[in-house]
Structures are given as C-alpha cells and as structure tokens.
Amino acid sequence: MATLKDIAEKVNVSISTVSRVLNFDQTLSVSDETRRRIFEITEELEYKKSTKSEKQIKSSPKKIEIGMIMTFAKSEELNDPYYLAMRLGIEGAAQEKSIQLIKGHKDDPNFNVRDLAGLLVVGPVCEDEVEQMSRLNANMVFIDSLPVDHRFDVVMVDLADAVEQSMNHLHSLGHTQIAFIGGKDELGVSSKVDRREVAYEAWMHKVGGYDSGLVQVGEFSAEDGYRLMNDLLASKASFTAVVAANDSMAIGAVRAIQERGLKVPEDISIVGFNDIKVAQFMTPSLTTIKLYSEFMGETALDLLLERIQGNRTIAKKVVIPTELIIRESCCKVTSTLRK
C-alpha cells in the first residue's frame, strides 16, 4: 500500500500537503495541476496492471488510434478521482497493447472522432449525444453510462446491488434511519436522478423507513458533501447513518460531522462509494463500496478491440461486480437516535 511519504516524494511536496489535498481541504492554497498530480500519483502507486499472456500482447494490433472522450469537465477528476482511476486504467491498457490513445472532452472542437478506429465514451450521455457521435464513428463503447441505443457495447456496475450491500451492512449494525447525500447526472441541459438514489429509496421503502427529509442532493463533490451534511445536521431529521453517493462526498460529510463536535462512527456511521485511494488515508478510514474503475476501463478497451478486429455487430453489456470494503467509519448503534 502506498504511503503519504511515497506520494509526497514522487510529487516533491510535503506530507502535510498530500494529506490535505487527499482530504479535499478547501483552505489549502495549491494549484490544480499539483492537486491533479497528487491524485494521479496516488492512483498510479496502487495501480496493478491486469495479467496478460504473451500471446495476447503479441497479437494486439499496432498503431491503432482509438479515442477516449470524457463527457465531464476536466475539473471533475479533482472532485471525484473515480474517473481519474478509470482514465489511468485505460491509458495503462492502451500502452500495453501499443495503441495510440487520443484523449479529449465532448465539447472540444478540435477532437475529431471520425478518423479514429473506435471510441471509448466515459461518463453520462444523453440520447442526442449518442446519436451525434454514432454518425461520426460506428465503433463505440460506453463506460459508466446506459444509452438507450442498443447498438453499442456498455461496461457498467450494478449500482442497485452495490447500494443494497451498503444498506444491508448498516442495517446489520442496527441502523434503521439512514440518510442519503448524492448528486444528479447532468445530461446536456437536463439532468436525471442518480441510480444510487433510486436504489436507496427502493430499499428504504422495502423496509418501511423512507423519509424524503433524509435525502439531500447536490453535486458529486467534497464541498457539496460538506454542505449537504450540514443541511442534514441543521434539520430536525433523526438518523444514525449516512450513505454518500461517492467517497468525495463522504469525506466532506465527515468533516461537517466532526466540526459539529460529533464523532464518526460513534454518533453517525457513514458509507461511501467507489473506494478511491484516498479512502484508506481518512481518519477514521472509510467503509465504502469498491468499484473496479481501472478494470472497467481495461474491459471497455478489450471490447472495442474485439469490435474493430472481429467486426462483431451484436452489442454486449458487461456488468462489473462491486465489493463492500469494511473499515472504521461504521459501528453498531450504541445510543438513541440523533435528534
């Protein structure tokens, strides 16, 4: 496991700076480039390349140009390193296979997908965007998105099952009033309810405990995790546990709880999502759902090569499993519900 010292030495900054960046300390004056470098080094030190046979590597095509288009702003990698880990997984796999990877964002006017052998689309997309891209390139794989168009391959995780794992874990510890903080997927000029929020609501309805007052929705960032948690704490809602839609929000939520003089997990337990590398450095360390983002990227690249090399026309949907990582941020209910 990488240490704060390892990361600090690679980036040439202090251990304190690394710690504050990884904990999304908004008061720290440091450039976005330094923040990005710290997150990248953190991921790279933990990144393990998938085992590939010599035959697979040798049979991989040479000089193929493949595009990777991100449907989110570049700053989103700093708000949620989940996409950063996915990008690094794709870049590592492409390097192994001697593939030229062309990267860009959907609003980049200089990003020409027409001349590429295929396209990896990372992040949420709307129907109009899928149709627009499909006119320019027929070989596409979507990652972490569920386009209505069934012509294209999809790599995704079962978020409903992942939420159920986290909710069942909290319930096993005696928690019945569980809050949720999350965000929405922005699709062009519109947005849609996040699948984690949908799964949370379904689970709470199933056990007869749904309360709309326990749901707070903003952006998928540590800053909004902090803000939404403060809103919950200021409300009259009673709860002993919180499920956050990603680890960045969980980190912000923990800070808000601690600033109120409350303790995690003694007063409020919290579960995150994604298991970004930062989660292990938190105090307390974060219980979270591990999404194998690097493997998702590698799998998507394999599917795209299969399309290009084998002329496959039937689409595939690959569902990558998730895993509950139990750490220190959850415990059994030991007192009456917080009010």
Side-chain angles (χ1 to χ4, degrees), residues 243-290:
V243 170
N246 68 18
D247 291 343
S248 303
M249 300 193 83
I251 290 170
V254 168
R255 181 158 54 92
I257 292 168
Q258 292 173 339
E259 285 184 2
R260 292 272 183 145
L262 299 170
K263 294 182 179 180
V264 177
E266 292 86 349
D267 294 307
I268 301 174
S269 291
I270 189 161
V271 179
F273 248 87
N274 298 348
D275 193 32
I276 61 176
K277 301 303 181 288
V278 180
Q280 62 189 311
F281 295 113
M282 289 177 59
T283 303
S285 57
L286 184 65
T287 293
T288 184
I289 295 290
K290 184 175 186 63

Side-chain angles (χ1 to χ4, degrees), residues 28 57 125 187 226 248 261 270 329:
L28 177 65
I57 295 173
V125 289
L187 304 175
Y226 176 81
S248 303
I270 189 161
S329 65

Side-chain angles (χ1 to χ4, degrees), residues 47 66-70 83-97 99 101-103 119-123 141 143 293-302 304:
Y47 178 65
I66 286 177
M68 177 172 63
I69 185 167
M70 282 74 78
Y83 284 123
L84 170 62
M86 191 175 294
R87 172 172 65 79
L88 292 175
I90 293 170
E91 290 174 350
Q95 186 175 11
E96 282 185 357
K97 298 174 183 295
I99 291 170
L101 191 64
I102 311 298
K103 296 171 286 187
L119 188 63
L120 299 170
V121 184
V122 183
V141 178
I143 314 171
S293 51
E294 295 99 335
F295 185 62
M296 290 173 68
E298 295 168 4
T299 301
L301 182 58
D302 287 341
L304 188 55

Side-chain angles (χ1 to χ4, degrees), residues 106 124-131 133 145 147 187-190:
K106 66 177 181 180
V125 289
C126 64
E127 287 186 56
D128 289 344
E129 290 170 334
V130 173
E131 183 58 34
M133 286 186 287
S145 181
L187 304 175
V189 296
S190 63

Side-chain angles (χ1 to χ4, degrees), residues 132-166:
Q132 183 180 6
M133 286 186 287
S134 69
R135 296 194 199 106
L136 301 175
N137 201 307
N139 294 321
M140 292 194 295
V141 178
F142 291 87
I143 314 171
D144 201 34
S145 181
L146 285 171
V148 176
D149 198 316
H150 298 298
R151 291 175 294 170
F152 305 110
D153 297 341
V154 174
V155 178
M156 57 176 291
V157 294
D158 188 342
L159 289 179
D161 176 71
V163 170
E164 188 164 345
Q165 289 182 62
S166 63

